[in-house]
């Protein structure tokens, strides 16, 4: 079991800096998900923790040890690779117990642990097969088994589900969650899929362009994103960002005037002069409600007379597109709202859910 | 560099060290030593006298040298064109799977792997003036030639026998290179061309050939590089065909031995070869 | 491809294949045929012998009884002369019974095996190390080494024969039997090493890096990862490279002739066959049988190698 500290980690390949300075503490037993678009440095960060890459500068501390100069095989880490990286010439059984054999664990113990792991992952039938004879999902389970049986200090996952189809992916996601609940080991999980990040993490770390854009619990990053990048990256469909102007008493969006004092909880408390200041206004599609179903209150604002451009039915939900301040804005309504194209609609939003961002820096106001 | 990166680099050097030592000592050093030797009068027993550029002067005023260059050029031309065309034809013929393709493949690869020393005797027998099938075929059966002739005995005709031998032996490797590219051309391209109204010939010129352009250039360059150095295939089949390597060998080890002159020949040949290799590395390997 | 071939196309295709295969195999057929023919049959253009003659093979493989050579009667009389010393008698008898037709094929084959298997083994070991280093490890100078190997790969032996011979002369190796053999052995390693490096380098690059990383996460050092993961995965390729290097050594003539011509007991097959061909003992059936026996190991190796080649083993371990 181990806590991890990353202290101002920088990694460059030649002249290109991939990780530009990351500080992060991961507590013992915590499940941390590094999430971000491709090229944000998340995999490189994970590989530096594993020891497969060396940081250009900064320190990595696992437990009490600074591990910068410790080779991967001596860090006592188990890892699940994106492409599984099963040894093609070894059977499933040999793949799983390879590390234990090396560690000279005695045979009875190996058998006991193998039985336990293969039962948990339903691998009993597959133990004598070669990786080439397995389906993608089975290979994934073998890769998990190989990591779990180690009982290592630390689990690393490098996009372990990205090669599975969507049904299998959500199943395995649940399994990984269960396994973590059972063993409670420190885990670092890299993914570009924000659903995995939200569902699995104790702490989500959103990476952007080599920096940490925000770290927090899933609900924190969802409800209180620190900047436009996080706001749009987390949550699906992604948050609407609309140009607006903030005046002393109200926020002007298109022709709508939203009262300032009930706006989002981080609102700027200074006095604003006559011209107002330009801001980016963020509203999640999920927070729009059909006014026919949700009555207006003191804490809500009603966008009246919105012209519907497009309706995308999804079954229970439907996504409705309309124009607001020149932007195509999306709202997610449920099946109770009966709508047609070109019809007009009134949508209510809770004022505290309307977020303001600096129009220059994209940071939350 | 971090300590782990340094350790990796050290390990890398350790592993490659024996190779560097062997190749350096027995290839790179000899190549340079060869240049040195080309300025000496060198005896077989190793004694040397400095003669400056006399070897080069002798060489450049030796008409046999020029005739060796001419022979080599014809040899290169014949083998490069022949090997490439036959390799292309084989690849086109054998592209699509059919019953027994594995066997046919093995059969046509055989000339490439077989020891030269064995197969030259088969060839010599084929061209034997008395017992050979070739003379029987052209004189007795087809009546194209008026009398039996010793094709390998006469240097002029022997050159073409040697060229044919090389094509026979090395077309398989051209075939493999071309085939691997050929099978990677996507079916879509052919179907698109067919829908655009191109028949088989049009498809060959508008789809196949442009795709093969690069691999054909590779084959040509590789044939040039290998055949410029070719010794055994020529010497063992027809020692009277004096291409440059044979010329050098005769200078160095037979008759009036003049190893300094042979060294000078090798130096010039290495110069030409280096141009081909440079071209190959730059244009084909794109390094 | 597009459209199925009609009957005419199919016949044309079959004929083309037939011609191609005949062209490739004719010289082999000729060698086999002549090796099995009696002398009176040589001029017959048919490839099928009128009657099978295995004498040449028997002789080469040492299956015939050492022929008892009849000592002419006149000589026998001299030998019976009691005045002659025993030594002289033996010398005379030897002169008449000496079987200088004999071609010690087995010995030459053994020489060839020793040279080519030995050199191929060394080459394989060095090229595994070198190829792994330049294809997998990161260090300065890697690219230069890589290019040099490619360059060296393409420099032919012809350009090296004079300087290598002179170097051997300078250090005094070329003037002794064992020295020459040692030189030739080294040269065979040098001739095959770049080939091995080149083939294995390309192969190692194709093995997913993640497999070694997984081994390291499983507690292996780099060396253990190579031995336990990379090498087992490369077995088919290692076999192929070994066979390829073996073939190069087995076929080599130039340097064998430069270094060993004067030492008949160390002749390799190519050298011995060439010597036989230009000697007075050149008889077609014997030469052809010897060619056939020289060919056979290579053909077997080749068939093995092409079997190995098909078994690409990395599929399944990593999803592409």
């Amino acid at each position: 079991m181990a806590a991890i500290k990353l202290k101002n980690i920088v990694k460059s390949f030649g002249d290109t800096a991939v990780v530009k300075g990351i500080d992060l503490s991961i507590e013992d037993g915590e499940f941390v998900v590094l999430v971000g678009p491709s090229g944000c440095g998340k995999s490189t960060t994970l590989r530096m923790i594993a020891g497969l890459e060396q940081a250009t500068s900064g320190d990595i501390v696992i437990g009490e040890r600074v591990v910068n100069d410790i080779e991967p095989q001596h860090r006592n880490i188990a890892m699940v690779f994106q492409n599984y990286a099963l040894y093609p010439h070894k059977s499933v059984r040999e793949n799983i117990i390879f590390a234990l054999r090396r560690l000279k664990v005695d045979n009875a113990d190996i058998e006991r642990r193998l039985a336990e792991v293969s039962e948990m992952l339903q691998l009993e039938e597959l133990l004598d097969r070669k990786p080439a004879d397995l389906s993608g999902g089975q290979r994934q389970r073998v890769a998990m088994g190989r990591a779990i049986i180690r009982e290592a200090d630390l689990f690393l996952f490098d996009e372990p589900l990205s090669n599975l189809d969507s049904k299998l992916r959500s199943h395995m996601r649940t399994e990984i969650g269960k396994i973590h609940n059972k063993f409670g080991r420190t885990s670092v999980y890299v993914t570009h899929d924000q659903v995995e990040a939200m569902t699995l993490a104790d702490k989500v770390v959103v990476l952007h362009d080599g920096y940490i854009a925000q770290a927090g619990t899933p609900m924190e990053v969802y409800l209180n994103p620190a900047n436009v990048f996080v706001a749009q990256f987390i949550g699906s469909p992604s948050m609407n960002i609309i140009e607006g102007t903030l005046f002393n008493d109200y926020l002007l969006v298109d022709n709508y005037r939203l009262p300032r004092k009930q706006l989002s909880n981080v609102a700027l408390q200074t006095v604003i002069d006559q011209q107002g200041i330009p801001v980016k206004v963020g509203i999640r599609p999920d927070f729009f409600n059909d006014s026919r179903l949700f009555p207006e209150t003191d804490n809500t604002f009603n966008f009246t007379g919105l012209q519907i451009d497009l309706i995308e039915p999804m079954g229970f939900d439907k996504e409705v597109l309309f124009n607001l301040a020149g932007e195509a804005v999306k709202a997610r309504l449920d099946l109770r709202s009966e709508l047609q194209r070109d019809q007009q609609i009134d949508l209510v939003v809770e004022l505290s859910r309307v977020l303001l961002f600096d129009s220059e820096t994209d940071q939350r106001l | 560099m971090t300590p782990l990166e340094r350790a990796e680099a050290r390990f890398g050097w350790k592993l490659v060290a024996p190779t560097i030592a062997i190749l350096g000592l027995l290839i790179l050093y000899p190549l340079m030593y060869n240049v040195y030797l080309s300025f000496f009068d060198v005896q077989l027993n190793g004694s040397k006298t400095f003669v400056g550029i006399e070897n080069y002067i002798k060489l450049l005023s030796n008409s046999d040298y020029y005739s060796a260059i001419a022979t080599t050029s014809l040899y290169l031309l014949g083998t490069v064109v022949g090997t490439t065309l036959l390799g292309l034809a084989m690849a086109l013929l054998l592209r699509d799977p059919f019953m027994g393709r594995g066997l046919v493949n093995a059969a046509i690869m055989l000339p490439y792997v077989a020891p030269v020393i064995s197969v030259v005797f088969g060839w010599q027998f084929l061209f034997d003036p008395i017992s050979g099938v070739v003379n029987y075929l052209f004189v007795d059966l087809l009546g194209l030639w008026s009398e039996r002739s010793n094709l390998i005995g006469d240097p002029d005709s022997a050159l073409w026998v040697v060229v044919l031998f090389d094509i026979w032996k090395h077309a398989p490797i051209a075939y493999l290179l071309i085939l691997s590219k050929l099978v990677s051309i996507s079916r879509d391209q052919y179907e698109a061309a067919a829908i655009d109204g191109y028949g088989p010939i049009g498809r060959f010129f508008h789809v196949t050939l442009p795709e093969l352009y690069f691999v054909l250039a590779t084959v040509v360059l590789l044939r040039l590089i290998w055949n410029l150095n070719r010794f055994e295939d020529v010497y063992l089949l027809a020692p009277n065909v004096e291409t440059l390597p044979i010329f050098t060998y005769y200078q160095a080890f037979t008759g009036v031995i003049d190893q300094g002159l042979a060294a000078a020949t090798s130096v010039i040949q290495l110069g030409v070869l280096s141009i081909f290799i440079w071209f190959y590395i730059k244009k084909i390997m794109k390094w | 491809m597009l459209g199925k071939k009609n009957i005419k196309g199919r016949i044309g295709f079959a004929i083309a294949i037939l011609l191609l295969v005949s062209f490739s195999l004719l010289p082999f057929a000729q060698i086999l045929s002549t090796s099995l023919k009696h002398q009176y049959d040589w001029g017959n253009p048919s490839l099928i012998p009128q009657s099978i003659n295995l004498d040449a093979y028997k002789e080469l493989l040492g299956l015939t009884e050492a022929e008892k050579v009849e000592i002419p009667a006149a000589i026998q009389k001299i030998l019976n002369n009691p005045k002659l010393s025993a030594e002289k008698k033996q010398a005379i008898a030897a002169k008449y019974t000496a079987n200088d037709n004999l071609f010690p094929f087995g010995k030459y084959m053994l020489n060839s095996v020793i040279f080519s298997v030995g050199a191929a083994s060394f080459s394989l070991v060095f090229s595994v190390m070198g190829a792994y280093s330049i294809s997998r490890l990161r260090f300065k100078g890697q690219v230069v080494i890589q290019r040099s190997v490619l360059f060296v790969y393409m420099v032919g032996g012809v350009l090296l024969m004079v300087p290598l011979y002179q170097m051997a002369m300078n250090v005094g190796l070329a003037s002794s039997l064992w020295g020459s053999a040692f030189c030739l052995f080294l040269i065979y390693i040098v001739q095959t090493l770049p080939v091995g490096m080149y083939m294995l380098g390309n192969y190692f690059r194709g093995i997913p890096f993640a497999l070694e990383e997984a081994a390291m996460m499983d507690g292996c050092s780099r060396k253990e990862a190579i031995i336990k993961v990379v090498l087992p995965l490369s077995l088919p390729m290692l076999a192929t490279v070994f066979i390829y290097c073996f073939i190069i050594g087995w076929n080599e003539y130039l340097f064998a002739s430069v270094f060993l011509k004067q030492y008949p007991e160390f002749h390799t097959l190519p050298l011995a066959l060439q010597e036989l061909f230009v000697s007075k003992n050149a008889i077609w059936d014997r030469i052809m049988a010897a060619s056939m026996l020289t060919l056979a190991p290579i053909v077997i190796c080749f068939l093995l190698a092409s079997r190995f080649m098909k078994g690409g083993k990395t599929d399944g371990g990593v999803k592409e």
Side-chain angles (χ1 to χ4, degrees):
Chain A
M1 293 265 183
I4 306 173
K5 276 199 177 60
L6 304 185
K7 294 180 181 164
N8 196 19
I9 295 296
V10 173
K11 174 68 183 176
S12 312
F13 294 100
D15 294 334
T16 11
V18 177
V19 174
K20 299 173 182 169
I22 284 187
D23 283 285
L24 181 66
S25 324
I26 297 168
E27 280 160 39
D28 191 9
E30 199 171 22
F31 198 113
V32 170
V33 176
L34 305 181
V35 63
S38 56
C40 69
K42 58 189 189 297
S43 269
T44 309
T45 306
L46 187 80
R47 291 168 58 81
M48 285 190 283
I49 297 174
L52 299 171
E53 301 282 353
Q54 316 308 321
T56 310
S57 68
D59 285 331
I60 298 173
V61 185
I62 298 178
E64 306 290 307
R65 293 190 296 179
V66 175
V67 295
N68 293 15
D69 298 335
I70 294 177
E71 292 175 308
Q73 64 266 29
H74 299 129
R75 293 191 185 187
N76 196 18
I77 290 173
M79 180 159 169
V80 179
F81 288 81
Q82 177 172 14
N83 294 319
Y84 320 137
L86 302 179
Y87 311 119
H89 57 298
K90 294 182 190 293
S91 68
V92 167
R93 177 196 311 275
E94 290 165 332
N95 260 286
I96 294 177
I97 64 176
F98 182 61
L100 298 186
R101 283 249 186 279
R102 257 209 98 269
L103 294 170
K104 306 261 186 301
V105 176
D106 69 77
N107 277 337
D109 201 20
I110 289 181
E111 284 307 319
R112 181 185 58 72
R113 277 153 82 169
L114 177 65
E116 199 178 317
V117 166
S118 49
E119 193 206 328
M120 177 174 14
L121 294 166
Q122 297 143 36
L123 291 171
E124 293 108 324
E125 309 286 305
L126 310 175
L127 287 177
D128 293 320
R129 292 211 212 155
K130 290 274 171 74
D133 304 326
L134 302 178
S135 70
Q138 290 168 333
R139 287 179 202 174
Q140 217 286 328
R141 297 212 303 271
V142 176
M144 291 287 299
R146 185 171 67 175
I148 291 169
I149 202 165
R150 291 272 307 281
E151 300 177 1
D153 291 340
L154 183 58
F155 274 108
L156 303 181
F157 300 85
D158 189 3
E159 309 218 18
L161 306 180
S162 62
N163 284 325
L164 301 179
D165 65 48
S166 65
K167 203 173 156 197
L168 210 49
R169 193 180 321 161
S170 78
H171 172 74
M172 281 314 292
R173 199 176 65 214
T174 317
E175 292 298 310
I176 290 175
K178 280 190 201 157
I179 289 166
H180 179 252
N181 288 342
K182 181 166 174 198
F183 293 104
R185 302 207 182 247
T186 316
S187 303
V188 183
Y189 186 109
V190 161
T191 180
H192 60 266
D193 178 1
Q194 51 94 21
V195 178
E196 283 170 34
M198 295 293 285
T199 48
L200 287 171
D202 295 324
K203 176 154 80 195
V204 176
V205 179
V206 186
L207 290 174
H208 177 45
D209 197 21
Y211 295 104
I212 294 180
Q214 187 175 2
T217 65
M219 286 323 276
E220 270 166 18
V221 293
Y222 180 74
L223 293 175
N224 284 314
N227 49 49
V228 172
F229 175 79
V230 175
Q232 292 206 296
F233 190 80
I234 299 290
S236 172
S238 132
M239 184 186 278
N240 300 301
I241 300 289
I242 315 154
E243 302 287 331
T245 315
L246 186 62
F247 293 95
N248 215 13
D249 298 325
Y250 59 91
L251 169 70
L252 183 69
V253 177
D254 218 340
N255 298 319
Y256 304 98
R257 291 178 177 212
L258 287 67
R260 182 182 174 196
K261 67 172 191 279
Q262 286 148 293
L263 280 179
S264 73
N265 41 3
V266 202
L268 189 73
Q269 297 303 330
T270 49
V271 179
I272 298 168
D273 65 21
Q274 284 292 301
Q275 300 95 356
I277 48 174
V279 290
K280 289 181 179 171
V281 180
I283 306 172
R284 290 204 180 275
D286 309 80
F287 293 150
F288 282 109
N289 290 307
D290 190 337
S291 64
R292 289 170 293 180
L293 303 168
F294 287 80
E296 215 173 325
T297 67
D298 285 351
N299 298 324
T300 61
F301 182 82
N302 193 355
F303 290 92
T304 52
L306 295 166
Q307 170 99 11
I308 298 175
D309 292 330
L310 191 66
I311 302 167
E312 296 174 339
M314 312 274 205
F316 180 78
D317 295 328
K318 56 170 80 69
E319 293 180 9
V320 178
L321 269 137
F322 51 88
N323 189 307
L324 198 59
E327 300 281 339
V329 171
K330 202 176 252 187
R332 181 144 73 179
L333 306 177
D334 63 42
L335 49 70
R336 290 170 296 173
S337 307
E338 284 175 21
L339 300 168
Q340 271 170 7
R341 236 184 100 182
D342 295 332
Q343 187 191 331
Q344 296 216 332
I345 185 174
D346 299 347
L347 293 177
V348 288
V349 174
E350 224 172 295
L351 280 163
S352 64
R353 299 292 182 216
V354 176
L355 310 180
L356 296 182
F357 300 93
D358 187 298
S359 69
E360 300 280 312
T361 64
D362 279 357
Q363 294 302 309
R364 186 77 177 280
L365 292 174
Chain B
M1 280 220 297
T2 68
L4 288 186
E5 284 168 341
R6 259 201 300 280
E8 182 174 336
R10 254 204 315 278
F11 185 47
W13 278 107
K14 241 190 259 170
L15 285 182
V16 84
T19 304
I20 293 180
I22 293 174
L23 296 184
L25 182 69
L26 293 176
I27 294 190
L28 293 178
Y29 174 72
L31 284 178
M32 289 183 285
Y33 186 52
N34 196 38
V35 177
Y36 172 82
L37 286 176
S38 72
F39 296 110
F40 287 80
D41 178 31
V42 187
Q43 300 303 315
L44 202 52
N45 64 9
S47 77
K48 300 182 256 302
T49 340
F50 182 75
V51 294
I53 58 165
E54 197 189 304
N55 283 326
Y56 290 93
I57 294 171
K58 253 200 294 186
L59 190 63
L60 294 176
S61 57
N62 183 347
S63 65
D64 287 350
Y65 181 58
Y66 293 103
S67 92
I69 291 178
T71 309
T72 308
S73 308
L74 282 178
Y75 176 69
L76 288 180
L77 185 73
T79 53
V80 166
V81 171
T83 314
T84 312
L85 288 183
L86 182 60
L88 178 62
M90 283 156 78
L92 289 171
L93 191 64
L94 299 177
R95 166 167 51 181
D96 302 321
F98 58 89
M99 270 257 296
R101 186 165 80 162
L103 281 177
V104 171
N105 249 327
I108 61 179
M109 286 310 291
L110 215 49
Y112 175 66
V113 290
V116 183
I117 189 71
S118 308
V119 291
V120 289
F121 295 129
W123 275 71
Q124 293 197 330
F125 196 89
L126 286 173
F127 285 91
D128 188 88
I130 300 157
S131 317
V133 174
V134 174
N135 272 299
Y136 171 76
L137 183 69
F138 283 92
V139 179
D140 299 337
L141 223 54
L142 300 174
L144 289 175
W145 300 336
S146 55
E147 56 180 354
R148 286 171 176 262
S149 56
N150 187 353
L151 290 171
I152 293 181
D154 173 10
D156 289 334
S157 53
L159 172 61
W160 299 110
V161 176
V162 167
V163 166
L164 187 65
F165 177 73
D166 183 85
I167 295 172
W168 173 77
K169 198 157 173 30
H170 295 102
I173 201 74
Y175 152 75
L176 279 189
L177 279 168
I178 296 170
L179 184 70
S180 69
K181 177 66 202 173
L182 202 56
V183 294
S184 77
I185 301 175
S186 89
R187 233 188 123 84
D188 297 358
Q189 284 200 48
Y190 287 101
E191 288 172 347
I195 286 171
D196 286 346
Y198 286 98
I201 295 167
R203 290 201 294 268
F204 174 76
F205 281 103
H206 291 282
V207 180
T208 313
L209 216 48
E211 288 281 331
L212 290 182
Y213 184 73
F214 192 72
V215 72
L216 289 178
T218 312
V219 170
V220 167
L221 209 47
L222 282 177
R223 292 310 342 130
L224 281 175
I225 291 171
W226 293 124
N227 279 359
L228 187 58
N229 294 329
R230 185 79 53 205
F231 176 78
E232 274 112 338
D233 304 34
V234 181
Y235 178 76
L236 294 177
L237 180 57
N240 52 0
V241 176
E242 275 197 45
T243 56
L244 281 169
I246 316 288
F247 175 80
T248 313
Y249 181 75
Y250 284 150
Q251 296 292 339
F253 295 104
T254 62
V256 185
I257 285 168
D258 192 342
Q259 295 217 318
L261 194 71
T265 323
S266 302
V267 169
I268 296 175
Q269 202 180 320
L270 177 66
V272 177
L273 184 70
S274 300
I275 296 173
F276 289 150
I277 297 180
W278 178 84
F279 229 86
Y280 182 74
I281 291 178
K282 270 282 173 251
K283 301 283 164 176
I284 306 285
M285 311 285 284
K286 299 251 172 74
W287 274 352
Chain C
M1 203 45 36
L2 295 166
K4 269 283 148 236
K5 291 185 189 101
N6 54 20
I7 293 290
K8 242 192 235 165
R10 277 188 200 183
I11 292 173
F13 178 74
I15 290 174
I17 295 283
L18 200 68
L19 279 176
L20 184 60
V21 172
S22 318
F23 176 59
S24 299
L25 294 185
L26 178 63
F28 297 102
Q30 183 70 67
I31 296 172
L32 181 62
S33 150
T34 311
S35 74
L36 293 173
K37 278 180 175 180
H38 288 286
Q39 185 158 6
Y40 62 81
D41 205 8
W42 291 350
N44 175 8
S46 162
L47 287 172
I48 298 161
Q50 288 171 357
S51 68
I52 301 280
N53 167 22
L54 289 171
D55 290 354
Y57 286 99
K58 282 186 188 150
E59 185 201 320
L60 290 175
L61 296 174
L63 296 178
T64 41
E65 294 292 310
E67 233 176 279
K68 253 296 210 209
V69 179
E70 288 294 313
I71 299 173
I75 307 297
Q76 195 63 50
K77 258 184 202 159
I78 301 173
L79 286 177
N80 290 338
N81 184 347
K83 281 185 205 158
L84 218 59
S85 72
E87 264 172 55
K88 275 213 170 134
K89 272 186 198 171
Q90 247 176 15
I92 293 171
K95 195 171 169 190
Y96 282 92
T97 50
N99 198 351
D100 65 347
N101 274 0
L102 209 65
F103 181 71
F105 185 83
K107 191 165 85 181
Y108 297 142
M109 187 167 236
L110 186 65
N111 289 343
S112 266
V113 168
I114 291 171
F115 274 112
S116 28
V117 169
S121 315
F122 274 94
S123 240
L124 184 63
V125 172
F126 291 141
S127 55
V128 163
M129 292 161 55
Y132 183 85
S133 171
I134 59 168
S135 61
R136 294 293 235 195
L137 298 169
R138 288 169 290 193
F139 58 95
K140 275 214 180 81
Q142 192 182 21
V143 179
V144 178
I145 297 172
Q146 224 165 314
R147 281 186 210 187
S148 310
V149 168
L150 194 69
F151 175 76
V152 156
Y153 176 49
M154 292 178 165
V155 170
V158 180
L159 300 179
L160 298 168
M161 63 187 174
V162 173
L164 281 175
Y165 180 77
Q166 285 294 330
M167 282 164 69
M169 212 69 216
N170 289 347
V171 294
L173 283 172
S175 46
S176 75
L177 170 65
W178 287 101
S180 299
F182 176 71
C183 287
L184 192 65
F185 193 74
L186 272 186
I187 287 169
Y188 282 5
I189 295 176
V190 169
Q191 298 255 297
T192 48
L193 185 51
V195 183
M197 287 272 283
Y198 186 71
M199 290 171 76
L200 279 174
N202 284 343
Y203 187 80
F204 286 154
R205 262 184 278 272
I207 296 179
F209 229 119
L211 289 178
E212 268 170 82
E213 292 179 343
M216 285 192 267
M217 299 314 295
D218 277 347
C220 291
S221 68
R222 194 88 189 207
K223 267 179 222 157
E224 285 172 307
I226 297 174
I227 292 165
K228 291 189 177 162
V229 176
V230 177
L231 291 186
L233 274 178
S234 311
L235 274 182
M237 194 58 187
L238 296 181
T240 309
V241 167
F242 181 83
I243 288 173
Y244 208 89
C245 293
F246 168 77
I247 291 179
I248 291 177
W250 188 262
N251 292 351
E252 208 279 341
Y253 171 82
L254 175 62
F255 282 102
S257 89
V258 168
F259 282 95
L260 293 181
K261 201 158 205 164
Q262 42 182 333
Y263 305 113
E265 60 272 51
F266 269 29
H267 275 189
T268 57
L269 275 177
L271 194 50
L273 254 71
Q274 178 66 5
E275 295 283 302
L276 174 68
F277 183 65
V278 297
S279 78
K280 65 182 168 72
N281 295 320
I283 305 168
W284 277 120
D285 61 345
R286 190 195 284 178
I287 289 179
M288 293 305 192
S291 299
M292 216 52 222
L293 293 174
T294 309
L295 262 173
I298 300 300
V299 172
I300 293 167
C301 285
F302 166 65
L303 293 177
L304 282 178
S306 54
R307 265 252 309 281
F308 274 133
M309 291 287 239
K310 274 177 208 144
K313 259 180 122 188
T314 49
D315 47 331
V318 165
K319 202 180 158 190
E320 294 305 323

